[in-house]
Amino acid sequence: MRLALPLLLAFLAAPAFAGTPVGTALPLHIGGRVVAVSADDPAQGYRHQWPGTYFEARFKGTEVHLRLNDEVNRFNVYVDGQVVNTPSRPGEGDIVLGPFPPGDHTIRAEKLSESFDAAQFTGFFVADPANVLPAPEALPREIEFIGDSYTVGYGNTSSTRTCPGDQVWATTNTQLAFGPLTAKHFGADYRINAISGRGVVRNYNGGDGLHLPQAYPYTVAPQMVETADWRPQIIVIGLGTNDFSTPLHGGEVWTTRDELHSDFEQTYVQFVQTLRAQNPQAFFILTATDQANGEIQSEVKKVLAALRAAGESRIDFLPMNNLSFSGCDWHPSTADDAQVASSLITYIDARPDLWNHNTE
């Protein structure tokens, strides 16, 4: 029996765990940073931690299994561009997807949530090896976004700024943040390397934890595994909000704001220079909001000036002004994300050569 589409989507809305997992893994195209569970057996899947990660595959036939081992994340699962499942902290097992019309299909799972624990995406599986199709090809355009909660999309779908309990996690949708919106507009693969609350040298309100430049090298903590084929033509960095949005407290390493400024500028410059050594083809766009009485933008502009004085030419600054901050805890909303994405799209559209640099 074939269900009409509304009934089919309702049928697929909640995970249904299979009693007997099927065993033929589909080849994957992966967006984001992952670590293979087994270098010798791709069917064991991948561990992931950064937000915005996505997995794509192609198959023939009427049914496919999504296999996860994940207690911490939310996903949207698409088949042929339509949402067919929304796993939320699904645990370990197979989610059976189907029935679909006979023929060729594309499946894509997009991670929506932010979590500080790693999880496992085991893969997409079909029962009949004859239904395996090659993975979607990597896209020629690649763009990377580095930042904090604003880049994550922290609480961006919330209808209120007050978000107790699990509401921040439940209303965070990285795929609706400005990074994926921008990337999808240009038909580009993307990576989101962002952690809420982290700064360049100072986390929010002086909090503990690695600063973003310290955390960046880790693919899945404590592992540093990189793919040699990731060569983004554009890298967008949005940092500084957590460094400057709260006053200094006793016991911090800086006794004055000027000391904090100096440390921020030097460390940010070094971070971009490290990224430049790894990505000689990339164009950098530094962003900042007009919060904190302009202190954040002022400091990021000083970083830009220092980098240019040191010989960096493929770099610019783009402000993120006049946002409503109506998401959780005064964070950008999806409307704000769309506004920032529009600014980025306008900037990049005016410079189409940014996509043309050699990515070898």
Side-chain angles (χ1 to χ4, degrees):
M1 178 182 69
R2 184 175 300 170
L3 300 175
L5 182 60
L7 292 177
L8 172 62
L9 296 183
F11 173 71
L12 294 173
F17 288 97
T20 304
V22 297
T24 304
L26 300 178
L28 294 174
H29 169 56
I30 302 173
R33 299 165 69 183
V34 300
V35 174
V37 173
S38 169
D40 300 322
D41 184 6
Q44 293 191 34
Y46 299 87
R47 297 175 67 242
H48 57 92
Q49 194 166 9
W50 294 96
T53 308
Y54 56 95
F55 305 84
E56 291 182 304
R58 298 173 61 244
F59 68 98
K60 293 189 294 184
T62 61
E63 184 177 285
V64 63
H65 287 212
L66 164 61
R67 189 170 302 163
L68 299 169
N69 185 359
D70 191 330
E71 301 281 357
V72 293
N73 288 301
R74 294 166 34 246
F75 288 86
N76 274 348
V77 182
Y78 299 83
V79 171
D80 301 332
Q82 291 188 305
V83 175
V84 297
N85 204 283
T86 56
S88 180
R89 293 174 172 158
E92 184 174 6
D94 279 29
I95 300 171
V96 184
L97 303 174
F100 303 110
D104 296 356
H105 303 286
T106 299
I107 185 167
R108 176 179 172 113
E110 295 186 344
K111 179 178 173 180
L112 310 182
S113 52
E114 180 182 24
S115 69
F116 293 96
D117 297 317
Q120 181 175 325
F121 183 94
T122 308
F124 303 112
F125 293 80
V126 291
D128 186 348
N131 287 339
V132 175
L133 294 176
E137 294 185 359
L139 298 171
R141 291 177 171 180
E142 297 176 341
I143 184 168
E144 183 167 335
F145 298 86
I146 300 172
D148 49 34
S149 55
Y150 292 4
T151 303
V152 169
Y154 175 109
N156 57 347
T157 69
S158 176
S159 59
T160 176
R161 293 180 172 126
T162 303
C163 299
D166 241 9
Q167 287 190 32
V168 170
W169 176 86
T171 59
T172 294
N173 187 335
T174 301
Q175 302 298 336
L176 293 179
F178 62 83
L181 293 181
T182 302
K184 290 175 181 180
H185 172 87
F186 288 109
D189 277 321
Y190 55 92
R191 285 186 176 183
I192 310 297
N193 299 298
I195 307 175
S196 294
R198 306 302 172 89
V200 175
V201 296
R202 182 175 185 257
N203 295 335
Y204 178 75
N205 206 30
D208 295 331
L210 296 178
H211 307 133
L212 201 287
Q214 296 171 327
Y216 180 87
Y218 295 98
T219 308
V220 175
Q223 294 174 279
M224 300 181 185
V225 180
E226 287 304 333
T227 51
D229 58 353
W230 179 251
R231 292 291 181 268
Q233 293 99 338
I234 301 171
I235 298 177
V236 180
I237 308 176
L239 290 169
T241 298
N242 292 306
D243 298 86
F244 303 118
S245 58
T246 57
L248 290 171
H249 308 295
E252 295 195 62
V253 298
W254 314 275
T255 57
T256 68
R257 212 70 173 173
D258 287 342
E259 290 178 357
L260 174 59
H261 289 171
S262 178
D263 195 8
F264 175 86
E265 294 159 22
Q266 293 178 29
T267 304
Y268 200 155
V269 167
Q270 292 168 0
F271 182 45
V272 174
Q273 290 173 336
T274 299
L275 292 170
R276 166 59 74 210
Q278 298 166 351
N279 302 277
Q281 77 292 334
F283 186 92
F284 290 93
I285 302 175
L286 309 186
T287 69
T289 70
D290 51 2
Q291 293 174 294
N293 297 316
E295 183 180 19
I296 306 166
Q297 285 193 3
S298 174
E299 284 300 298
V300 173
K301 288 178 180 179
K302 289 178 184 177
V303 170
L304 175 68
L307 285 163
R308 285 177 169 167
E312 179 60 67
S313 59
R314 291 180 50 74
I315 193 167
D316 206 349
F317 172 78
L318 189 66
M320 297 166 56
N321 292 345
N322 302 315
L323 304 182
S324 70
F325 299 105
S326 59
C328 283
D329 302 325
W330 292 84
H331 277 73
S333 64
T334 51
D336 292 332
D337 284 318
Q339 178 180 322
V340 174
S342 178
S343 296
L344 281 165
I345 290 165
T346 299
Y347 181 92
I348 296 169
D349 271 339
R351 299 160 181 82
D353 63 303
L354 298 185
W355 297 114
N356 298 333
H357 283 262
N358 186 6
T359 59
E360 296 297 326

